[in-house]
Amino acid sequence: MKIGFIGGGNMASSIIGGLVASGVTASNIWASDPNADSLAKLREVAAVHTGSDNNALISQVNVVILAVKPQLMKVVALDIAAAVQTHQPLIITIAAGVTSASLATWLGGSPAIVRCMPNTPALVRSGATGLYANDQVSAAQRVQASTILEAVGLALWVDNEAQLDAVTAVSGSGPAYFFLVMEAMQAAGRDMGLSAEVAQQLTLQTALGAAKMAVASDVDAGELRRRVTSPKGTTERAITILEDGGLRQLFAHALDGARVRAEELAIELEGE
């Protein structure tokens, strides 16, 4: 598998680092970006081939990862369309809101496209990514896409492209929800007299520990919550206040808002 990255930002750097750590040879990775500083940073991650010619890159690889901003995708896709039609690589896009149909139109022909929605913890190889393949993607290419994204965390396939909007709401935007909870817990700790450092460290370690327990457990989060909520205890008091405040309904409303916004962004990008 020879892999090319068009766009050399943080996500490309993270995936390249994960791939090399998982055993992919750096000499089988290419990266293209107009910014020389970005390419220099990639070479610090691994001794990959770098340059600024997207079409030359496509001639060297069988997998192309489009790691450019959604607003730049149309321009980039139109520029590489002829090379994609000639060499027929698997196209993997990590740009939010750009549908496979739009990308296929810009690239021309019937390219094999995998859309994926990674999240920012991929930068520390703890990501959660949803993937969708169009009808042109072969079984072998699905394995290639999974292998690449699993280098930075969990990678799960969805059955239809519309479900990527739900993935965006749950995991794509999800880290920010947890960061907000951390902010609130740290602030509450400070208000109750803890130092800022102690409140922060206790909150972050608690979040890490809870996540590790949930990942390692054979029961769901609801059962784990019940197991640490003693009748008439401190945890029960806090949970009751959160439930009475409509926490579940608020989360449902917030995530649906994120999903709807993902749909809107796709429409806006198609109109550009």
Side-chain angles (χ1 to χ4, degrees):
M1 183 165 57
K2 297 182 184 297
I3 307 165
F5 290 79
I6 294 180
N10 288 336
M11 193 61 73
S13 176
S14 174
I15 296 173
I16 288 171
L19 287 169
V20 172
S22 67
V24 176
T25 305
S27 60
N28 286 333
I29 301 174
W30 281 254
S32 177
D33 195 286
N35 188 312
D37 289 341
S38 295
L39 295 178
K41 290 178 181 178
L42 290 183
R43 289 193 296 271
E44 291 175 3
V45 174
V48 300
H49 306 282
T50 59
S52 58
D53 188 333
N54 295 340
N55 290 289
L57 175 148
I58 290 171
S59 69
Q60 300 295 320
V61 302
N62 49 33
V63 179
V64 174
I65 299 175
L66 298 177
V68 301
K69 295 183 183 300
Q71 295 80 4
L72 298 176
M73 185 63 76
K74 183 175 182 179
V75 171
V76 170
L78 291 173
D79 178 65
I80 63 173
V84 168
Q85 292 172 40
T86 297
H87 298 284
Q88 297 291 307
L90 168 64
I91 302 294
I92 299 176
T93 169
I94 62 174
V98 179
T99 66
S100 61
S102 292
L103 188 54
T105 297
W106 300 333
L107 291 173
S110 299
I113 296 173
V114 170
R115 271 192 69 192
C116 62
M117 172 51 61
N119 62 8
T120 52
L123 300 176
V124 291
R125 298 178 198 168
S126 295
T129 302
L131 302 95
Y132 166 78
N134 71 359
D135 292 339
Q136 284 68 46
V137 176
S138 68
Q141 288 173 326
R142 286 174 70 101
V143 172
Q144 289 178 325
S146 291
T147 299
I148 291 168
L149 273 303
E150 285 171 354
V152 290
L154 178 72
L156 301 174
W157 291 92
V158 296
D159 296 328
N160 62 73
E161 190 164 5
Q163 290 177 324
L164 285 180
D165 294 328
V167 170
T168 299
V170 174
S171 59
S173 300
Y177 315 151
F178 288 99
F179 295 148
L180 178 60
V181 171
M182 292 176 198
E183 281 185 82
M185 289 178 63
Q186 289 176 52
R190 293 194 301 270
D191 290 344
M192 291 185 289
L194 296 177
S195 70
E197 181 180 2
V198 168
Q200 179 187 47
Q201 291 189 21
L202 289 176
T203 297
L204 299 186
Q205 185 63 30
T206 300
L208 176 63
K212 283 187 172 182
M213 283 184 67
V215 168
S217 178
D218 58 356
V219 299
D220 63 21
E223 176 58 25
L224 289 175
R225 173 183 54 79
R226 286 186 286 273
R227 289 180 181 181
V228 298
T229 306
S230 303
K232 299 182 180 181
T234 58
T235 306
E236 184 184 65
R237 176 72 62 86
I239 293 295
T240 298
I241 293 171
L242 291 171
E243 294 278 19
D244 289 348
L247 181 70
R248 292 176 188 269
Q249 294 81 359
L250 188 59
F251 261 93
H253 183 53
L255 267 67
D256 191 56
R259 179 192 61 79
V260 170
R261 183 57 184 147
E263 294 176 348
E264 293 171 350
L265 286 171
I267 295 170
E268 292 171 11
L269 287 167
E270 287 174 358
E272 292 184 356

